Amino acid sequence: MSYYFRLKNSALVEFYPDRYTLLINHADSPPEEITLARADARILELLLLEPGAVCSREAIMAFAWDDRVVSAGSLNQSIFMLRNILGDNKDHDLLITVPRRGYRFNSDQLASPADETGPSAEPSSAETPSNTPVELGQPADKQRLGKWVRMAYLAAAAFACFTVWQLYAAHELPHDVEVAAIKQGELSITAVGKSKQEVDALKADVLSSGIWSHQLQGEVFVSRTGSRTNLSCIQKSGKAYNLEFAFSEERLISMFGKCLGGE
């Protein structure tokens, strides 16, 4: 089974959850194939089972990491990675955060296989009339499937709480992404880039910003696109906040403070 949806730049995406693969069809360039980490693919699959409906963080974690127990930080990092891959890291219009509840997929971005090839030829009188709905009832079938899947995995998660036999803290990442974690006290920072050199440069900027002297609290993911620096923060209250700014024009420590609610 595959899913189809559009990115904010109108590119059509084919998602194959059984292969953990995204095929992004651009209008003016060859298709781009991306292999997701297993957990990231299962998160996207669950959100697409019932697009528009809110999935709780607990349900997502039980579905995505059905073979292990992980911390809430693993979910935060997976959502961050998915948003980066889907070009949704700034506005979060595709994977929408529902405060204190969970996440939902923007159903307005759903597409169909027909969108890839454009309008088909007009059917003859012996074929299905053009005003006849196609695949009537499919959304309802998906909704029922989504509810049963959630119930099953919630039950499995509840049972796992009593039978946990191993813990894993590691998180699967796409092969083309490098990360470096920096943590002190109640502040955790993860630098994300496409190469070790890019991540090392981000880490050096963070360490030289004087951030440890400000006693900030929360979780921050920092990445860079060209001359722009991106911060995605989860404040201590649980609220998410995002910033994008020109590194040459703004002091990094000031942006950290604003993102984490300290200023």
Side-chain angles (χ1 to χ4, degrees):
M1 182 177 181
S2 58
Y3 299 88
Y4 293 79
F5 58 90
R6 288 198 177 276
L7 303 182
K8 288 185 289 186
N9 62 5
S10 297
L12 178 67
V13 179
E14 302 174 57
F15 172 48
Y16 301 93
D18 56 332
R19 306 201 308 251
Y20 311 151
T21 301
L22 294 172
L23 188 63
I24 303 178
N25 298 280
H26 301 281
D28 53 355
S29 60
E32 177 185 6
E33 184 172 316
I34 298 175
T35 300
L36 300 176
R38 178 182 183 273
D40 298 354
R42 287 180 68 80
I43 290 172
L44 186 57
E45 178 184 6
L46 182 59
L47 294 177
L48 284 167
L49 279 172
E50 197 171 353
V54 178
C55 287
S56 70
R57 293 175 62 87
E58 293 77 14
I60 295 173
M61 291 175 67
F63 186 84
W65 290 277
D66 57 324
D67 59 343
R68 67 190 71 181
V69 175
V70 297
S71 68
S74 295
L75 175 56
N76 296 336
Q77 189 164 328
S78 277
I79 292 293
F80 177 81
M81 292 297 178
L82 280 173
R83 283 172 170 162
N84 270 337
I85 291 170
L86 300 175
D88 190 41
N89 58 332
K90 182 178 180 182
D91 299 322
H92 301 177
D93 290 334
L94 192 63
L95 304 182
I96 299 174
T97 300
V98 183
R100 302 186 183 280
R101 294 181 61 191
Y103 300 92
R104 66 181 180 88
F105 188 91
N106 187 348
S107 58
D108 292 339
Q109 299 299 114
L110 294 177
S112 67
D115 292 341
E116 181 181 8
T117 56
S120 58
E122 184 177 349
S124 66
S125 58
E127 296 174 343
T128 303
S130 59
N131 62 347
T132 301
V134 179
E135 296 183 352
L136 186 63
Q138 184 176 356
D141 293 338
K142 285 185 177 181
Q143 289 181 0
R144 286 195 293 270
L145 177 60
K147 290 177 181 178
W148 280 110
V149 169
R150 285 192 187 188
M151 291 175 63
Y153 277 94
L154 283 173
F159 178 75
C161 291
F162 297 97
T163 59
V164 173
W165 59 279
Q166 61 179 354
L167 297 175
Y168 291 87
H171 175 70
E172 299 169 280
L173 297 174
H175 297 300
D176 58 347
V177 174
E178 294 282 342
V179 298
I182 313 167
K183 183 175 176 63
Q184 181 167 316
E186 296 296 320
L187 178 61
S188 175
I189 300 172
T190 302
V192 182
K194 294 183 178 180
S195 67
K196 187 176 185 302
Q197 182 179 6
E198 183 177 334
V199 168
D200 287 344
L202 277 171
K203 184 176 179 180
D205 288 339
V206 171
L207 293 175
S208 64
S209 68
I211 192 169
W212 306 126
S213 63
H214 286 66
Q215 298 183 347
L216 297 173
Q217 298 180 352
E219 187 171 2
V220 184
F221 295 93
V222 55
S223 61
R224 188 166 290 158
T225 304
S227 62
R228 309 291 292 180
T229 298
N230 307 289
L231 299 181
S232 291
C233 301
I234 301 170
Q235 299 173 357
K236 188 177 181 182
S237 64
K239 181 180 178 181
Y241 196 89
N242 303 279
L243 280 175
E244 179 179 311
F245 61 96
F247 184 73
S248 59
E249 299 174 2
E250 302 285 352
R251 293 180 64 240
L252 185 59
I253 184 60
S254 298
M255 295 298 101
F256 271 113
K258 183 176 180 180
C259 193
L260 290 168
E263 295 183 359

